[in-house]
Amino acid sequence: MAGYIMTIDNYDALRDCVIKGIYSTIFGDINYNVWNTPQEGTYADYFSMKKGDSIYFFHERKVYGIGQIIDVDYDCKFLNYKDADIPKNYSEKEYKERKPLLKRTTPKNRCFCTFKPSPYFFMSGTDMDDVLSSNPDKFRILRTMWKVSFIKIDEEEDKALRDIILKRNEEFIKTRDNVFPYKDKYIKEIATKLDASYRLNSYRILLESQKGKKIKHEMAIEAALCDILGKDNDTLFGKWDYISHQVPASPFKPIDYMDKMDIFGYKYIDGYDTISKYLVIEIKKDAAKADAVEQIMKYVDWINQEYSHGDYSMIEAYIIAADFSETIIEKRNNECIRNFTKGYRPTTACTWSDCKLVKYEYDNEEIIFKEING
C-alpha cells in the first residue's frame, strides 16, 4: 500500500487530527473563479487515496505516525461541504448553508480524509534526518518534500518509514504510553450525515477546466487519471494497484529543477504482493510535439534503471494528447524502442516497444481515451 505524509504547522492541530482521525487540507483562495494547478494537484492526491494506505504527519522536522486510511461508508475521502469542488470563494454564510461535515473549519477546508491509528500515533516524532539515514536507498520521494501540503510515497518507502518509527517507539507499543488517544465518535458522527453530494470525484475538476473538447490544464487531466486509475474498474490503461502523480524521475538536485513523471504507477501479480508492471504516462493538453516522445523515453529509462532493474518488459508507457500528427506517430515508431536481455544461462534477447499513443476528448460528462494505431 501507499503512504501519505501531511505537513502541519501547529502541534495542537496535529493532536486534534490524530485524536479525531480526520485530516483536511487548507486550500488557497480561488483566483478569477478558476482552479489553478496546485489546487488540481491537491485534488489529484486525494483521488488516489485508498483504504489501507498509511498516513503520517510532518511537523517541525519530525514525522509522527502511524495511521491507516479507512473507509467511512463508501470511501475514505470526501468533500467537506456541498459544491466544495466548484472554484468559488464562499462567504461564511454560503459555507454554512452548504452544511459542512467538519466542525470548526472554514470554506478553505474543501475536502478531507479519514483514518485510524495503526497501531498508534506516538507523541514522540522521529527526526527527518533519523528517518532518511535509517534506510537511505528506499527514500526517493520523501527527499523531495518541498512547498507542498502533503506527498505520497510508494510501498517500499512506506515500509521504511513505518519501520523506523516503530523502532524508535518500540517501548511504547505494549505499554501504550506516549501515544495520542483516538476517539472514533467523530468519524461515526460524519457517517450519519453522508450522502452523494459529499462524494469526491474528478467530474467538476474537468468541467471547470473545459475548453471545447480539450482540457485547459494538464494537471486537471492528471487529477482525472488519479481518480479513474485508482478505482477498481477496467480502463484502456488496465487496472493499477498504485497510482501517483508528479513522481521524481531524475537524480537528486534542487527540487524546482527535478524532472517529474505526470503519472506513475504499478500493479501486482494477481493474488500476490509482487510487482509485475510499472506505468508511466506523459500528458499534453494540446497536440503532442516531438519533446513528448523524448520525455516519455527519458522516464522509461529512469524506471528501468531505478525500479525494474534492466527488465524493460515490466514497463508500460503512454503519451496522452489532444492529437497526434503523422510525424509524431513515426517518431514514436522509430524511437520508442529498447533492446535488452533477460535471464542468465541462457540469456534471451528482447525488444521493448510498449509505448502507446492515446488521444483524449472531453464530452461535458467524462474524459474519453482512444488509442491511436499506426
Side-chain angles (χ1 to χ4, degrees):
M1 303 304 290
Y4 291 84
I5 304 164
M6 288 28 191
T7 301
I8 200 159
D9 293 334
N10 185 285
Y11 186 83
D12 290 336
L14 187 159
R15 177 183 175 86
D16 186 62
C17 279
V18 300
I19 288 175
K20 295 179 178 178
I22 300 167
Y23 169 78
S24 176
T25 304
I26 298 175
F27 280 67
D29 288 331
I30 308 300
N31 295 321
Y32 310 110
N33 290 333
V34 295
W35 293 121
N36 56 38
T37 53
Q39 293 155 341
E40 291 167 344
T42 299
Y43 275 116
D45 289 324
Y46 271 99
F47 291 146
S48 66
M49 287 181 179
K50 289 183 178 181
K51 172 185 176 181
D53 289 342
S54 300
I55 185 169
Y56 310 85
F57 291 89
F58 179 73
H59 171 66
E60 292 188 348
R61 288 183 50 88
K62 293 184 177 182
V63 182
Y64 294 81
I66 306 163
Q68 184 182 80
I69 292 175
I70 59 173
D71 279 354
V72 180
D73 194 11
Y74 56 83
D75 208 347
C76 60
K77 67 272 186 183
F78 307 91
L79 296 174
N80 180 30
Y81 54 93
K82 298 173 182 180
D83 297 331
D85 51 356
I86 292 178
K88 171 182 169 62
N89 292 313
Y90 292 96
S91 67
E92 283 293 334
K93 182 176 183 297
E94 291 172 322
Y95 167 62
K96 294 299 182 184
E97 289 172 348
R98 280 162 174 75
K99 300 179 180 179
L101 295 172
L102 304 183
K103 297 178 180 178
R104 294 189 295 278
T105 53
T106 74
K108 292 185 178 182
N109 295 98
R110 291 181 176 266
C111 53
F112 66 92
C113 64
T114 51
F115 60 92
K116 66 179 182 180
S118 179
Y120 308 108
F121 274 99
F122 301 101
M123 292 183 182
S124 299
T126 305
D127 187 84
M128 182 63 86
D129 286 347
D130 194 9
V131 169
L132 295 176
S133 62
S134 66
N135 198 341
D137 291 341
K138 299 299 182 185
F139 291 110
R140 297 185 182 97
I141 302 171
L142 183 55
R143 295 179 186 277
T144 69
M145 189 167 69
W146 176 253
K147 297 180 181 178
V148 292
S149 299
F150 59 93
I151 62 169
K152 183 176 183 177
I153 56 178
D154 64 25
E155 64 169 13
E156 284 193 347
E157 201 158 341
D158 174 51
K159 185 179 186 309
L161 181 55
R162 183 181 182 85
D163 285 347
I164 186 60
I165 291 175
L166 287 174
K167 284 192 287 186
R168 293 295 178 265
N169 293 278
E170 184 176 3
E171 62 185 293
F172 306 122
I173 294 174
K174 290 184 178 181
T175 67
R176 300 188 184 183
D177 295 329
N178 199 39
V179 301
F180 289 106
Y182 169 67
K183 301 177 181 178
D184 64 359
K185 66 178 183 179
Y186 297 99
I187 289 179
K188 288 180 177 178
E189 182 180 347
I190 286 172
T192 65
K193 302 176 182 178
L194 285 173
D195 60 44
S197 61
Y198 295 101
R199 187 179 297 274
L200 185 60
N201 60 57
S202 58
Y203 169 73
R204 281 256 177 81
I205 306 298
L206 289 171
L207 186 63
E208 299 296 339
S209 186
Q210 180 185 11
K211 186 179 181 181
K213 292 186 176 182
K214 296 182 181 181
I215 301 298
K216 290 182 286 187
H217 304 147
E218 286 163 10
M219 186 63 76
I221 303 174
E222 286 184 28
L225 285 168
C226 286
D227 184 23
I228 295 166
L229 301 180
K231 294 176 180 176
D232 294 329
N233 60 336
D234 290 318
T235 69
L236 179 152
F237 308 96
K239 295 170 63 176
W240 297 88
D241 296 297
Y242 172 91
I243 291 293
S244 190
H245 75 120
Q246 295 298 305
V247 175
S250 62
F252 190 79
K253 53 188 173 184
I255 307 302
D256 291 340
Y257 298 99
M258 292 194 76
D259 293 321
K260 294 183 179 180
M261 294 177 277
D262 291 341
I263 297 290
F264 171 74
Y266 53 74
K267 66 175 66 173
Y268 301 114
I269 296 173
D270 194 26
Y272 298 87
D273 61 358
T274 300
I275 295 174
S276 66
K277 292 284 186 180
Y278 291 97
L279 169 74
V280 60
I281 300 177
E282 175 71 4
I283 300 168
K284 299 297 179 185
K285 62 184 179 65
D286 300 314
K289 297 180 181 179
D291 63 347
V293 176
E294 295 158 4
Q295 198 69 37
I296 196 72
M297 290 312 299
K298 183 177 181 178
Y299 296 153
V300 166
D301 290 337
W302 174 260
I303 293 172
N304 179 64
Q305 173 187 320
E306 296 292 319
Y307 294 91
S308 63
H309 307 296
D311 187 354
Y312 278 96
S313 68
M314 294 181 68
I315 305 171
E316 292 184 19
Y318 297 85
I319 302 174
I320 296 176
D323 202 4
F324 296 91
S325 67
E326 290 298 325
T327 300
I328 296 303
I329 294 173
E330 184 178 357
K331 185 177 179 68
R332 185 280 307 265
N333 293 342
N334 292 334
E335 298 183 16
C336 294
I337 299 171
R338 292 292 186 268
N339 295 312
F340 67 104
T341 59
K342 287 181 67 172
Y344 295 92
R345 299 180 185 176
T347 297
T348 304
C350 305
T351 299
W352 178 93
S353 58
D354 196 5
C355 179
K356 298 180 176 66
L357 306 182
V358 177
K359 182 177 178 178
Y360 86 87
E361 287 185 358
Y362 185 68
D363 69 353
N364 297 320
E365 293 185 2
E366 63 178 342
I367 190 166
I368 300 168
F369 300 104
K370 180 180 179 181
E371 184 176 351
I372 303 298
N373 297 313

